[in-house]
């Protein structure tokens, strides 16, 4: 059972709710705060205090002194299109909104808050299209979600349910976990490629990071060396200097890890924050108009993460190309010894196609959007759109890392007897548990699909442990 309280929700707890179907409940403190916020709302409204969305219209209709029908707020804003949120995404969105409600700043009635909690715990999966939010509150997806509640909406309930970026935050939390898996796979692929290529490990030694400690470089270099520890590679490099896709890899992947860390921090900030507009502050008896629904910070960090992953992907694709080239690797062309067979040549085409798509998805969304609500809403943070395109980008990075792992494992096999590092031996064994050595042509698509599915589900625990130990 995950407990929701005003101190906030840890990202790990949200992932337990979303991915492991953990149940949730409000703590007594959260219930008290929700009740206090609602009581304040009722009191101020009865006193004639102007309250946006309660005693006035919404958006451009703020100048209309007519209390909106709260049930109509989600009803009229359920305008989403596109793919439907899957089970994990739905649960992540609900968990994120419940974490916000537990702050007690929304003015929502205890009954409506409990209804959303009950929806989460019931396992019901409403149809929620994911295109329609501009990132100034995820109005459209949260409106679709709210239509599944079977409780009367009064006071500020309708507005409280939709006026938050819970879709961006919830899907952002899932993105953090997805990117971590992809980066673990890239680290494992780099380590195995170093073994197969017989790379020079000099750029990863501690002194290199001490001379210029770029963000994340020290940790990634230490993690890589730990995976290679116990092997013979450190004593038997083939070249004095390798291509930059090898030499610079821990700098590039370190930058991606730093970008991921930043997104992780911001998601947890959101999960312990009150982003409602207006906010009800019971200890001050205050109703406060805010702009805490703006998602610019989330969008920019997710954009940065996509750009960093794009660079890591470019290095991965180049390492694949070097392993496949006899002029660079001193191995059989396309890593197949049997004449007349394609070997792994065609996989390079797939990696090239993936890098092109990753580069396209890494392009930032425009800062200028078409204004809405009679031009009152004339700016948009666009976090949900950025999170979703970064999700698609990350999916492709994982496919690419899977290809590099398959190619690197083949290169290791063709080297003959090698004393691999303890970590790289486990990585090689993991790859071989899912994908057989290639001695004659077969459809490579199935190999990539099987390995990427395995990584998505289980990750590379050895790479994860090395990363943790390197911090």
């Amino acid at each position: 059972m995950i407990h929701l309280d005003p101190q906030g929700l840890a990202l790990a707890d949200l992932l337990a709710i979303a991915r492991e179907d953990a149940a949730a409940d409000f703590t007594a403190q959260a219930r008290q705060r929700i009740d206090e916020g609602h009581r304040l709302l009722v009191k101020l409204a009865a006193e004639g205090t102007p309250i946006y969305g309660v005693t006035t219209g919404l958006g451009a209709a703020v100048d209309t002194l007519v209390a909106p029908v709260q049930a109509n707020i989600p009803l009229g804003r359920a305008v989403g299109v596109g793919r439907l949120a899957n089970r994990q995404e739905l649960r992540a969105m609900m968990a994120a909104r419940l974490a916000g409600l537990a702050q007690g700043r929304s003015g929502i009635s205890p009954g409506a808050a409990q209804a959303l909690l009950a929806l989460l715990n019931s396992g019901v999966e409403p149809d929620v299209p994911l295109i329609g939010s501009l990132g100034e509150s995820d109005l459209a997806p949260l409106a679709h979600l709210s239509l599944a509640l079977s409780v009367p909406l009064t006071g500020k309930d309708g507005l409280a349910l939709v006026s938050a970026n819970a879709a961006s935050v919830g899907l952002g939390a899932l993105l953090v976990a997805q990117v971590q898996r992809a980066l673990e796979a890239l680290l494992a692929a780099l380590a195995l490629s170093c073994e197969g290529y017989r790379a020079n490990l000099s750029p990863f030694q501690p002194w290199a990071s001490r001379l210029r400690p770029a963000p994340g470089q020290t940790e990634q270099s230490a993690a890589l060396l730990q995976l290679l520890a116990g092997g013979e590679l450190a004593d038997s490099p083939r070249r004095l200097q390798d291509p930059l896709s090898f030499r610079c890899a821990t700098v590039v992947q370190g930058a991606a890890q730093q970008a991921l860390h930043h997104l992780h921090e911001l998601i947890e900030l959101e999960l312990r924050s009150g982003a409602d507009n207006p906010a009800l502050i019971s200890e001050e008896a205050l109703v406060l108009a805010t702009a805490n629904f703006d998602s610019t910070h989330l969008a920019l960090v997710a954009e940065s993460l996509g750009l960093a992953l794009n660079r890591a992907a470019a290095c991965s694709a180049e390492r694949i190309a070097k392993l496949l080239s006899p002029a660079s690797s001193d191995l059989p062309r396309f890593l197949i010894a049997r004449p007349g067979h394609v070997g792994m040549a065609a996989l390079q085409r797939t990696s090239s196609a993936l890098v092109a798509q990753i580069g396209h998805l890494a392009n930032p969304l425009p800062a200028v959007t078409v204004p809405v609500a009679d031009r009152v809403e004339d700016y948009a943070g666009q976090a949900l759109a950025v999170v979703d395109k970064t999700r698609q980008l990350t999916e492709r990075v994982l496919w690419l890392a899977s290809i590099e792992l398959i190619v690197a494992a083949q290169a290791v096999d063709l080297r003959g007897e090698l004393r691999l590092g303890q970590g790289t031996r486990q990585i090689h064994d993991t790859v071989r548990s899912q994908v057989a050595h290639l001695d004659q042509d077969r459809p490579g698509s199935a190999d990539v699909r099987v390995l990427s599915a395995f990584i998505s589900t289980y990750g590379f625990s050895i790479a994860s442990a090395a990363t943790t130990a390197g911090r």
Side-chain angles (χ1 to χ4, degrees), residues 179-194:
V179 173
Q180 187 58 54
R181 284 280 164 90
L183 287 176
E184 288 170 8
L186 279 175
L187 177 62
L190 169 62
L192 202 58
S193 289
C194 284

Side-chain angles (χ1 to χ4, degrees), residues 312-338:
C315 289
S316 175
E318 276 298 325
R319 291 193 297 270
I320 292 169
K322 298 302 187 292
L323 288 167
L324 292 172
S325 170
S328 186
S329 68
D330 295 330
L331 290 169
R333 188 181 303 277
F334 306 140
L335 299 180
I336 188 89
R338 184 172 295 188

Side-chain angles (χ1 to χ4, degrees), residues 57 100 111 129 202 282 359 379 427 460 465:
S202 178
S282 56
Y379 169 76
I427 291 168
F460 264 102

Side-chain angles (χ1 to χ4, degrees), residues 282-307:
S282 56
E283 56 267 42
E284 300 287 342
L286 176 66
V287 57
L288 182 69
T290 80
N292 290 345
F293 49 78
D294 181 72
S295 65
T296 299
H297 54 306
L298 288 175
L300 290 178
V301 172
E303 293 280 27
S304 175
L305 179 57
L307 289 168

Side-chain angles (χ1 to χ4, degrees), residues 52-84:
Y52 174 75
V54 177
T55 64
T56 75
L58 294 169
V62 66
D63 56 358
T64 304
L65 297 178
V66 176
V69 177
Q70 290 295 309
N72 287 351
I73 292 177
L75 191 66
R77 287 161 180 78
V79 293
V81 296
R83 75 176 183 90
L84 300 179

